[in-house]
């Protein structure tokens, strides 16, 4: 088994954060969040009451705009959705 040093771990975390924060990833996640909400016949207002985030924040999340990653993750958990993140050069 190989030992991964702290510097390597820190660099890997940094790469993951960069990929997750990209606009393309946010847009794809937002589209999925919108699609799942519509399939469940939920309005943004209903979702807001259930999850505890303001409607405008949820709307931005679905549009893939300027929403912290933790909100996207909480929404994915709420909808019981998984996301695969692949790191590529």
């Amino acid at each position: 088994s190989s030992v991964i040093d702290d510097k390597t771990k820190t660099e890997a975390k940094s790469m993951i954060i960069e990929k997750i924060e990209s606009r393309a990833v946010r847009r794809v996640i937002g589209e999925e969040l919108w699609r799942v909400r519509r399939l469940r016949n939920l309005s943004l207002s209903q979702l807001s009451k259930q999850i505890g985030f303001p409607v405008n924040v949820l709307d931005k999340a679905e549009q893939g705009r300027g929403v912290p990653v933790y909100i996207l993750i909480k929404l994915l958990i709420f909808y019981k959705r998984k996301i695969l993140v692949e790191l590529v050069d």
Side-chain angles (χ1 to χ4, degrees), residues 15-70:
M15 287 180 359
I16 290 169
I17 299 279
E18 284 178 29
K19 294 292 181 182
I20 290 175
E21 301 253 331
S22 76
R23 288 183 194 159
V25 172
R26 286 179 186 273
R27 187 176 60 249
V28 169
I29 293 171
E31 288 170 0
E32 178 65 7
L33 292 172
W34 178 85
R35 189 184 71 73
V36 173
R37 179 177 61 81
R38 299 294 294 172
L39 283 172
R40 294 185 182 195
N41 293 314
L42 285 173
S43 69
L44 282 172
S45 179
Q46 291 167 323
L47 177 60
S48 173
K49 290 175 185 168
Q50 290 185 30
I51 202 163
F53 290 122
V55 169
N56 68 323
V57 170
L58 298 173
D59 186 46
K60 284 182 182 179
E62 289 183 358
Q63 294 178 31
R65 299 181 318 154
V67 175
V69 172
Y70 78 91

